[in-house]
Amino acid sequence: MSGRSTPRRGFGDLHINGGFGGDTVTWASTKTKSEEINGYPSFSTRNNGFFSRHARRLSTSLPRFNIGGRNNYAEKEKLGRGRWYPSNGSKMGRMKTYLGRIVRRMRLRLLLVIGVVLAVILFYTTPMHRMYRRTSFLGGGSKFVVILAANQGGGVMEWKGPREWAIERDSVKNKKKYVKKWGYDLEIVDMSTKKRYAHEWRESWEKVDTIRNCMRKYPQAEWFWWLDLNTFIMEPSYSLQSHVFNDLGKNTYRDINIYNPLNISHPLTTDYLDSTSVSADGDGLSKSINLVVPQDCGGFNLGSFFIRRSAWTDRLLDIWWDPVAYEQKHMEWEHKEQDALEHLYGNQPWIRPHTAFIPQRKINSFPSGACGENGEDPRFHYKESERDFVVNMAGCEWGRDCWGEMYNFRELSNKLNRTPWEKFKDSISAKVAAASSKTKDKEKKA
């Protein structure tokens, strides 16, 4: 036989016993048979060089798969492998098959949805949401400080009973819950009566000095929100940003003539003043607003107001706290620091361009007993249907029940801000109670 000729062997010759019943021919036996072919020596060195031998050694050292079983040249397709088919072809079986096919196709989407849900749960069940809301470039909560006046009088001038302590407990708890939700800072100020000067008591003027101290304590904060103790935040879901400061220009007004219970002459008409000071709206820019004050039926109300850190504010606080003005006017100013601010606004032209007024019910709604006995003035009194933000039980110590008002508004706030699950439970409880009452009535009639 020639060395160039290829040996012709039938497919059955590759099996020792013939057919598919025998053992399968291995690579080594096939190679041995091919080497028995007589040919030219020059062709016997093909694929037997140094690099080829080492390549074969390397390939044989690699891991092998599908070990065991017959090494046929073609593997039969295993129909139904990894799939489930109903044996009886019922509707339920076809439905399961259809749903399984959809699940397989939407695996990535389902995993993505599950990941998003888990991320939201982790965001709200861990301190991450407070960190987000506190950051200045995201939530902006660190720019706001809530100042709460607590321990009013400190029991020096009059005895503090259980009702007074209960009012203080509920008010403090309400403010702590609110600032925790939105990432604000809370400064609880001890307003106990103390001597500020050697010759006088000045306990009701501490707002000014306290605000100045808070500005030093929180150097990164921009806005400071003063709240009296007899206030209650009815809608904790309202943030200060969304409720007031995101659109400060539209939520406030500069021209006091829109509502002017004090009949202050505005704007000023003195010749030496600049155009901003004689304008009814100042410069018209929200960034120049440094003081936001509500007005009730008697004038300025400082039970809830905002003041901004600025050089203008430092100057205002210095003049507001001036002991000389206090010495000369404190007998005339019945509402003390509140009347002092009204006096400064009416007589100091530089104060008006940076002062804005906000509707009373925006941040300082009154109960029905304040500013009139009927409690129906839409400018001042709380409206449940409109979900007012804050209630101030101003003047409740003069003939009204402070604890009763605080309790009623607390319960109303809890009712209005129930979660869907709490509303569902309450509805079930109401139905059960109604059914039990009907049963008792029937038993009595019987």
Side-chain angles (χ1 to χ4, degrees), residues 64-117:
R64 297 182 180 181
F65 301 95
N66 278 336
I67 299 177
R70 188 182 304 275
N71 294 326
N72 294 328
Y73 294 103
E75 184 178 4
K76 294 183 179 179
E77 181 183 3
K78 298 179 181 179
L79 298 177
R81 181 178 50 193
R83 303 180 181 90
W84 180 89
Y85 289 93
S87 57
N88 55 358
S90 62
K91 292 183 178 180
M92 184 61 66
R94 289 195 297 270
M95 181 62 68
K96 290 181 179 180
T97 304
Y98 176 73
L99 292 177
R101 189 182 301 114
I102 292 178
V103 170
R104 286 194 300 272
R105 291 178 179 177
M106 299 181 66
R107 280 181 300 184
L108 293 178
R109 297 179 183 178
L110 289 175
L111 291 175
L112 181 61
V113 171
I114 294 173
V116 171
V117 171

Side-chain angles (χ1 to χ4, degrees), residues 332-376:
E332 302 176 16
W333 293 337
E334 180 183 358
H335 298 96
K336 299 169 184 176
E337 83 289 346
Q338 192 165 282
D339 291 343
L341 181 61
E342 294 172 351
H343 176 79
L344 292 173
Y345 181 87
N347 295 277
Q348 298 290 336
W350 60 273
I351 293 180
R352 300 191 185 192
H354 298 275
T355 302
F357 302 97
I358 191 168
Q360 172 81 6
R361 287 175 49 208
K362 194 76 173 176
I363 62 170
N364 199 35
S365 296
F366 278 174
S368 58
C371 274
E373 296 181 357
N374 55 4
E376 296 179 356

Side-chain angles (χ1 to χ4, degrees), residues 243-299:
H243 190 60
V244 178
F245 291 99
N246 286 347
D247 201 350
L248 186 60
K250 291 185 177 180
N251 290 324
T252 58
Y253 59 94
R254 305 283 191 94
D255 188 0
I256 196 175
N257 293 314
I258 295 176
Y259 177 66
N260 193 359
L262 299 172
N263 294 321
I264 297 175
S265 179
H266 184 79
L268 298 172
T269 57
T270 309
D271 295 335
Y272 63 83
L273 296 177
D274 58 9
S275 59
T276 303
S277 298
V278 298
S279 173
D281 296 318
D283 59 5
L285 301 176
S286 60
K287 64 181 180 181
S288 64
I289 298 175
N290 294 316
L291 179 65
V292 180
V293 181
Q295 293 189 94
D296 57 24
C297 54

Side-chain angles (χ1 to χ4, degrees), residues 168-184:
E168 184 167 324
R169 180 193 64 233
D170 285 351
S171 181
V172 171
K173 182 179 179 181
N174 173 248
K175 310 309 183 297
K176 285 183 175 180
K177 182 179 179 180
Y178 180 73
V179 299
K180 182 179 180 180
K181 178 179 180 65
W182 294 107
Y184 307 142

Side-chain angles (χ1 to χ4, degrees), residues 7 9 27-39:
R9 298 178 182 269
W27 169 257
S29 61
T30 305
K31 182 181 178 183
T32 303
K33 291 184 178 181
S34 63
E35 288 178 352
E36 295 176 358
I37 301 172
N38 295 324

Side-chain angles (χ1 to χ4, degrees), residues 175-399:
K175 310 309 183 297
K176 285 183 175 180
K177 182 179 179 180
Y178 180 73
V179 299
K180 182 179 180 180
K181 178 179 180 65
W182 294 107
Y184 307 142
D185 288 305
L186 175 63
E187 182 69 14
I188 302 176
V189 183
D190 182 9
M191 299 292 288
S192 58
T193 302
K194 59 179 74 75
K195 274 197 172 184
R196 284 295 180 186
Y197 301 97
H199 64 286
E200 69 200 39
W201 291 96
R202 202 177 183 183
E203 65 275 6
S204 295
W205 290 69
E206 286 185 297
K207 289 182 180 179
V208 181
D209 197 37
T210 298
I211 292 172
R212 188 161 47 188
N213 292 334
C214 286
M215 287 186 175
R216 287 194 290 264
K217 183 176 180 180
Y218 300 95
Q220 304 299 325
E222 180 181 1
W223 283 98
F224 297 82
W225 183 20
W226 178 277
L227 286 173
D228 282 351
L229 183 64
N230 291 330
T231 58
F232 198 86
I233 299 174
M234 297 294 293
E235 299 295 333
S237 60
Y238 297 174
S239 68
L240 294 178
Q241 297 93 313
S242 62
H243 190 60
V244 178
F245 291 99
N246 286 347
D247 201 350
L248 186 60
K250 291 185 177 180
N251 290 324
T252 58
Y253 59 94
R254 305 283 191 94
D255 188 0
I256 196 175
N257 293 314
I258 295 176
Y259 177 66
N260 193 359
L262 299 172
N263 294 321
I264 297 175
S265 179
H266 184 79
L268 298 172
T269 57
T270 309
D271 295 335
Y272 63 83
L273 296 177
D274 58 9
S275 59
T276 303
S277 298
V278 298
S279 173
D281 296 318
D283 59 5
L285 301 176
S286 60
K287 64 181 180 181
S288 64
I289 298 175
N290 294 316
L291 179 65
V292 180
V293 181
Q295 293 189 94
D296 57 24
C297 54
F300 293 9
N301 188 289
L302 299 183
S304 173
F305 70 97
F306 296 99
I307 192 166
R308 188 180 198 171
R309 181 194 301 277
S310 66
W312 178 92
T313 301
D314 293 337
R315 183 182 177 189
L316 173 66
L317 294 177
D318 288 341
I319 296 177
W320 199 356
W321 184 251
D322 184 13
V324 177
Y326 171 82
E327 182 67 25
Q328 294 176 352
K329 293 286 187 179
H330 73 281
M331 297 300 293
E332 302 176 16
W333 293 337
E334 180 183 358
H335 298 96
K336 299 169 184 176
E337 83 289 346
Q338 192 165 282
D339 291 343
L341 181 61
E342 294 172 351
H343 176 79
L344 292 173
Y345 181 87
N347 295 277
Q348 298 290 336
W350 60 273
I351 293 180
R352 300 191 185 192
H354 298 275
T355 302
F357 302 97
I358 191 168
Q360 172 81 6
R361 287 175 49 208
K362 194 76 173 176
I363 62 170
N364 199 35
S365 296
F366 278 174
S368 58
C371 274
E373 296 181 357
N374 55 4
E376 296 179 356
D377 195 322
R379 295 173 297 179
F380 314 126
H381 296 108
Y382 174 81
K383 297 294 182 183
E384 177 183 345
S385 59
E386 299 183 21
R387 307 291 290 267
D388 290 348
F389 182 33
V390 177
V391 173
N392 182 8
M393 281 71 76
C396 64
E397 62 272 12
W398 306 104

